[in-house]
Amino acid sequence: MFIETSRTNKTPTATPLLFPLRLPPLQAIYQTPKLKVRNTLPRWLLPLKHFHKHLAAMAEDGAVTLYKATSITDAKKNSFSIKAGLAQMLRGGAIVEVSTLSQAKIAEEAGACCLVITEPNRQGISRMPDPSIIKQIKRCVLIPVMARSRVGHFVEAQILERVGVDYIDESEVLAIADEDNFINKHNFGCPFVCGCKNLGDALRRVREGAAMIRTQGDLLGTGNIAETVKNVRSVMGEIRILNNMDEDEVFAFSKEIAAPYDLVAQTKQMGRLPVVHFAAGGIVTPADAALMMQLGCDGVFVGSEVFDNGLDPYKRVRGIVEAVRHYNDPHVLVENSCGLEEQMAGLNVSEETMEPFGEGGA
């Protein structure tokens, strides 16, 4: 209770708090049917011991602007600190793209930290996956589930959040719904993942509310990791340049990369991106995954091509998961790389699609 003193007399009066300082114990939370905890945190996070601390953090969070008054999301309950914390739980893991229930079970058994649900390749405009597929896979797996929405299509994001996905990927892999604007991710309680190719892109997405950044490379599923390496090195290189700058130079640098100054200053202070940083595109072998980790990423996205043209997809996914966990251990990398060459035959890039070294302006 707050104690305030009236101006006319000195008699203290008690004003009730809008949110109680003392939260009920965890057992009472579970036994209270009116408290809808599942609208706040994913189902796989409910049994955590310190769940009440997340509720306290939500009480301290301020309101953000809604699209309009009829929005079906509640911005007052969407704490960015909670969403960033949920994204932190995926660090050091491999997020695997699946399109069927059998692939989802294989990825879960192989040790994937999260699943990206997509629809099988189809002609025409690519959109968010069918909600029925998401519900079917959610009922059969225990790990977090992620789904993609088109860039700028906030109604698709509203549908995915209502379906109950744990993360939403505003992905450029799908068709673009809005060429000028991204989703205002502060309006959602679900953590968002966004792609980038340089530091400016990454920090602009964080300002919009992204809780995880995905440095995107190859979008065609060919297994070519060159574009991913280029973009990851670009982000890491700009961070190293920023770390060596004087404080007075940060203003001009933030203007140069068109990023918010406060996030640029925070990146300089931390020596890394202020949110979790994954790599995606062309990662199909344990060596590819370990390369991304050694370049400074927190984890990797694995495309659905690992399930194509393979005799043992479990071995391939398991090898990548182990490589992410032990990326600095050459013995583990050797063990998980053996016997995969023949399974990679369908993912080799033809010479016609490769740019000769040195002709790309390098």
Side-chain angles (χ1 to χ4, degrees), residues 93-153:
I95 301 176
V96 181
E97 178 181 332
V98 299
S99 57
T100 65
L101 180 58
S102 61
Q103 292 179 357
K105 291 182 177 179
I106 292 174
E108 182 181 26
E109 293 173 0
C113 68
C114 183
L115 302 178
V116 182
I117 301 177
T118 61
E119 286 193 353
N121 295 332
R122 63 181 182 182
Q123 301 296 328
I125 300 297
S126 54
R127 302 179 177 87
M128 72 172 187
D130 190 332
S132 63
I133 299 178
I134 300 175
K135 292 180 180 179
Q136 180 187 18
I137 294 179
K138 275 173 55 67
R139 286 193 295 263
C140 299
V141 299
L142 298 177
I143 59 178
V145 168
M146 182 186 300
R148 290 171 176 165
S149 69
R150 285 179 281 176
V151 172
H153 205 313

Side-chain angles (χ1 to χ4, degrees), residues 10-333:
K10 301 302 180 180
T11 304
T13 59
T15 302
L17 282 175
L18 296 180
F19 196 90
L21 288 178
R22 289 189 176 182
L23 294 170
L26 194 60
Q27 184 178 4
I29 291 178
Y30 287 141
Q31 295 176 351
T32 305
K34 294 183 180 180
L35 188 58
K36 299 180 180 179
V37 294
R38 289 188 179 274
N39 293 336
T40 304
L41 295 175
R43 64 195 188 285
W44 47 270
L45 195 57
L46 295 179
L48 288 185
K49 181 178 179 181
H50 301 291
F51 170 69
H52 59 285
K53 293 183 179 180
H54 296 289
L55 294 179
M58 289 180 61
E60 299 174 359
D61 193 51
V64 296
T65 305
L66 291 170
Y67 286 108
K68 57 181 180 178
T70 58
S71 176
I72 65 174
T73 57
D74 188 355
K76 295 182 180 180
K77 295 183 179 180
N78 301 333
S79 170
F80 182 78
S81 60
I82 294 179
K83 293 184 283 189
L86 294 175
Q88 288 279 346
M89 298 181 66
L90 302 181
R91 290 186 63 182
I95 301 176
V96 181
E97 178 181 332
V98 299
S99 57
T100 65
L101 180 58
S102 61
Q103 292 179 357
K105 291 182 177 179
I106 292 174
E108 182 181 26
E109 293 173 0
C113 68
C114 183
L115 302 178
V116 182
I117 301 177
T118 61
E119 286 193 353
N121 295 332
R122 63 181 182 182
Q123 301 296 328
I125 300 297
S126 54
R127 302 179 177 87
M128 72 172 187
D130 190 332
S132 63
I133 299 178
I134 300 175
K135 292 180 180 179
Q136 180 187 18
I137 294 179
K138 275 173 55 67
R139 286 193 295 263
C140 299
V141 299
L142 298 177
I143 59 178
V145 168
M146 182 186 300
R148 290 171 176 165
S149 69
R150 285 179 281 176
V151 172
H153 205 313
F154 56 85
V155 174
E156 282 190 351
Q158 291 172 353
I159 294 173
L160 293 176
E161 183 177 43
R162 188 67 183 91
V163 170
V165 297
D166 301 302
Y167 302 90
I168 299 176
D169 186 355
E170 188 180 9
S171 177
E172 61 275 18
V173 176
L174 306 181
I176 296 178
D178 192 332
E179 296 183 353
D180 299 321
N181 304 289
F182 284 77
I183 297 174
N184 183 356
K185 290 160 276 289
H186 293 289
N187 290 345
F188 296 83
C190 186
F192 269 76
V193 182
C194 287
C196 78
K197 292 187 176 181
N198 52 58
L199 181 59
D201 282 347
L203 296 183
R204 287 192 294 272
R205 301 293 85 79
V206 173
R207 168 58 72 228
E208 295 163 358
M212 177 192 294
I213 291 299
R214 165 182 41 78
T215 299
Q216 186 65 49
D218 174 47
L219 298 176
L220 302 177
T222 60
N224 184 11
I225 201 174
E227 188 70 17
T228 309
V229 172
K230 174 184 175 182
N231 293 337
V232 170
R233 285 194 177 275
S234 173
V235 173
M236 298 303 179
E238 289 178 305
I239 292 177
R240 286 192 293 270
I241 293 174
L242 176 62
N243 290 339
N244 294 325
M245 285 184 176
D246 292 334
E247 298 293 338
D248 298 337
E249 299 174 329
V250 177
F251 295 95
F253 183 75
S254 63
K255 183 178 180 181
E256 178 183 347
I257 64 175
Y261 168 76
D262 59 330
L263 292 179
V264 175
Q266 184 179 358
T267 302
K268 173 178 171 59
Q269 180 182 10
M270 298 176 63
R272 53 156 296 142
L273 288 178
V275 297
V276 179
H277 180 202
F278 273 53
I283 301 172
V284 293
T285 68
D288 294 338
L291 174 62
M292 294 296 101
M293 299 298 292
Q294 292 192 26
L295 286 177
C297 295
D298 297 316
V300 299
F301 279 77
V302 182
S304 60
E305 57 266 24
V306 296
F307 295 99
D308 302 333
N309 303 322
L311 301 176
D312 189 0
Y314 171 85
K315 182 178 180 181
R316 294 165 63 178
V317 176
R318 182 63 184 176
I320 294 175
V321 170
E322 288 296 313
V324 171
R325 295 174 179 174
H326 308 282
Y327 59 91
N328 276 327
D329 190 338
H331 299 288
V332 176
L333 297 180

